[in-house]
Amino acid sequence: MSTGFTPNAIPLLITTSTTISAATTCDKVQATITAASTLTLYSAISQYAGYSIGSGQGVAKGVGQGVLYVYNLAASTATLTIAPASGESLNGVVDGTIGLAPGENVTLYADGASWTAFAVSGSVGSG
């Protein structure tokens, strides 16, 4: 059984601050923004519950369920800040957010209680 994950081919396109929900049918977000904006994640609670993504044991459930690829496209002219749902955390960052300059991206995984960023090409803790 493969533990690989293929993102949804049709991304969610955003141009301003946006809050996404677990019901979002896309697991890839592409931003083209002209003013500083924030992407607020859906709740990590119950997403990948019982799995340890960091040890390679995570099993992809499908779109909108615990894996999110975020790209601030090179066409953007402002920073996209990624923030967790209210009362939750984003592991591995200083102030709880990730700032993506134009052309930067991040892969996010939920573990049932919080989000963790992997493969960040942006600046962590600078949102």
Side-chain angles (χ1 to χ4, degrees):
M1 178 176 179
S2 172
T3 59
F5 182 78
T6 303
N8 191 331
I10 303 172
L12 174 65
L13 305 174
I14 64 171
T15 58
T16 188
S17 293
T18 305
T19 299
I20 59 174
S21 72
T24 300
T25 58
C26 292
D27 42 39
K28 180 167 55 173
V29 177
Q30 293 180 340
T32 305
I33 56 175
T34 56
S37 300
T38 300
L39 174 66
T40 304
L41 303 173
Y42 53 86
S43 176
I45 296 173
S46 297
Q47 305 301 321
Y48 285 98
Y51 294 97
S52 174
I53 299 300
S55 66
Q57 298 173 9
V59 177
K61 292 182 179 180
V63 298
Q65 295 187 33
V67 175
L68 191 65
Y69 300 89
V70 182
Y71 303 86
N72 190 9
L73 299 175
S76 292
T77 57
T79 297
L80 176 67
T81 299
I82 301 172
S86 179
E88 295 186 17
S89 64
L90 186 53
N91 296 328
V93 298
V94 177
D95 69 359
T97 65
I98 294 174
L100 297 180
E104 296 181 330
N105 62 78
V106 66
T107 302
L108 300 157
Y109 295 94
D111 64 7
S114 61
W115 287 92
T116 299
F118 289 95
V120 180
S121 75
S123 52
V124 292
S126 64

